[in-house]
Amino acid sequence: MTKPLITFFVVAYKQEQFIREAVKGAFAQTYSPLEIILSDDCSPDRTFDIMQEMAAAYRGPHRIVLNRNQKNLGIGGHANRIFELSHGEIIVAAAGDDISFENRTERVYEAWVDSKQTAFSIYSNMIEIDSSGMDKGLWNKGVPPIHPTSLAVAVACGHAGLYGCSHVYHRKVFDIFGPMDDRVVHEDEAIPFRSLLLGKIEYIAEPLIYYRRHEGNAWAGALRPSLAKRRQTLLAERAHLLTWLRDLRRSSSVGLIGEEECERLQASVIERLHEKSIERQFYDAPLPKGFAFLWRQYLGWKSAGQVLKLLKRRWQSE
């Protein structure tokens, strides 16, 4: 089988400290034919300057595409822009603070072929490093992969997530469903859900990337996040759930799922959106009124566990 063109993109924002290593990892990929997109989300530092310097000095076999957004698009908007620039059948995501192994694209391609081209999202294990590059060990030490195995499971647990830093997806997730809502922050929730609508998700147990954890990570967060952070998280969760609803409608219209299944899954997503709305109102209210509001919503002791869970989150954030 003739190998398809694959797009490998490095996306960055304010990562001048780490971007050089991320680009080196992209340039070192052993797979061919490969298109490499270096894309900066309007960073105020030297991130894009370094990308430009490295692209100008590159003499390897891969095609290099440089992009700098005119304004900051955020995670969802930037992912949409990357797709517009890409030509590969498979798209490999890489953050500007992580480092991909040189065989990452090759192994992902092999996994896709082994799935008989039914895997529309593929992700791998990884090795954690700190801001200085110190090896902190294997991320997944033998536990089962985190992704849901079906649409029903994804909707029931409220997530379709995987290790976003090692995510690879087929371009059909955009060709069929179109761009994501620009407000989406959890692109590793929105895109894998589309992959489940199209086929399945595959996990590669071997590490293929160095995942850097540091204070600048998008969702690093503190052990005791503030109420403002919790509100921000709720908005992000609402954005990807709304994307799920739209994608369910689209999948029904093109015959990927039946109308009855679509309605059933949509009802579950709408219920979860309602729960997020309750939680947001609880955080916005003074604590005594918020508690009374929760109790009325969850109808007393029958749902005491849910009430106590939200109270604990609120207490930790005060």
Side-chain angles (χ1 to χ4, degrees):
M1 185 173 66
T2 302
K3 286 185 174 182
L5 175 69
I6 291 181
T7 297
F8 187 110
F9 74 79
V10 179
V11 61
Y13 178 65
K14 292 199 301 187
Q15 290 168 329
E16 64 179 357
Q17 181 182 354
F18 310 119
I19 191 62
R20 194 172 297 277
E21 289 180 288
V23 174
K24 283 181 179 178
F27 287 173
Q29 293 301 297
T30 57
Y31 180 89
S32 184
L34 190 68
E35 166 188 74
I36 297 175
I37 299 176
L38 307 179
S39 187
D40 174 64
D41 200 14
C42 199
S43 297
D45 61 8
R46 291 194 69 252
T47 299
F48 185 66
D49 294 336
I50 295 170
M51 285 179 164
Q52 281 184 306
E53 293 166 7
M54 296 185 72
Y58 179 70
R59 297 294 182 268
H62 309 312
R63 175 174 178 261
I64 310 299
V65 178
L66 270 172
N67 175 65
R68 185 172 192 265
N69 297 329
Q70 295 291 318
K71 63 178 182 178
N72 184 267
L73 300 179
I75 293 174
H78 202 170
N80 291 334
R81 177 60 180 147
I82 291 292
F83 179 74
E84 292 173 357
L85 294 169
S86 70
H87 299 89
E89 184 171 358
I90 298 169
I91 300 172
V92 182
D97 50 358
D98 299 329
I99 309 168
S100 293
F101 291 14
E102 64 181 20
N103 68 330
R104 182 183 172 203
T105 307
E106 192 80 51
R107 281 291 294 114
V108 166
Y109 169 71
E110 291 168 358
W112 180 67
V113 171
D114 290 344
S115 78
K116 295 181 170 49
Q117 303 178 22
T118 61
F120 287 84
S121 276
I122 301 172
Y123 70 113
S124 74
N125 206 347
M126 53 208 177
I127 294 174
E128 180 185 350
I129 59 175
D130 62 16
S131 59
S132 67
M134 181 176 293
D135 189 328
K136 309 294 284 187
L138 197 63
W139 183 266
N140 187 339
K141 298 178 176 65
V143 299
I146 63 170
H147 71 265
T149 54
S150 70
L151 286 171
V153 171
V155 171
C157 64
H159 80 85
L162 39 71
Y163 303 148
C165 63
S166 67
H167 191 198
V168 175
Y169 50 89
H170 196 279
R171 71 179 301 108
K172 281 186 178 179
V173 299
F174 280 91
D175 282 340
I176 291 177
F177 296 101
M180 294 184 291
D181 189 317
D182 285 350
R183 294 169 295 182
V184 166
V185 176
H186 296 307
E187 88 291 352
D188 50 0
E189 293 281 2
I191 295 175
F193 190 77
R194 293 176 170 188
S195 296
L196 287 173
L197 287 164
L198 291 164
K200 63 180 181 179
I201 298 172
E202 286 284 352
Y203 173 66
I204 300 173
E206 67 185 273
L208 296 175
I209 194 167
Y210 289 107
Y211 170 54
R212 194 187 305 271
R213 297 195 75 188
H214 57 96
E215 291 182 357
N217 285 138
W219 293 101
L223 291 176
R224 293 168 61 91
S226 65
L227 283 178
K229 180 66 174 178
R230 292 216 183 273
R231 292 187 185 101
Q232 181 185 9
T233 300
L234 283 170
L235 287 173
E237 290 171 347
R238 176 179 171 80
H240 85 250
L241 288 171
L242 289 171
T243 298
W244 283 12
L245 282 179
R246 189 188 69 177
D247 291 343
L248 282 168
R249 288 192 292 270
R250 175 62 179 164
S251 65
S252 178
S253 70
V254 298
L256 291 172
I257 61 173
E259 186 175 336
E260 184 177 335
E261 182 183 8
C262 179
E263 290 177 357
R264 177 171 48 80
L265 292 172
Q266 281 186 312
S268 296
V269 175
I270 290 170
E271 182 179 352
R272 193 161 293 278
L273 278 166
H274 178 62
E275 291 175 357
K276 298 300 177 185
S277 176
I278 291 173
E279 188 171 355
R280 179 184 57 79
Q281 292 177 68
F282 170 60
Y283 290 148
D284 288 342
L287 192 53
K289 289 184 179 180
F291 177 78
F293 168 75
L294 274 187
W295 204 255
R296 288 195 302 273
Q297 291 294 326
Y298 285 108
L299 302 177
W301 292 105
K302 186 176 180 181
S303 300
Q306 182 71 9
V307 174
L308 291 173
K309 178 182 176 181
L310 293 181
L311 281 171
K312 182 179 178 181
R313 286 183 181 175
R314 175 75 179 261
W315 179 264
Q316 290 175 335
S317 304
E318 293 288 352

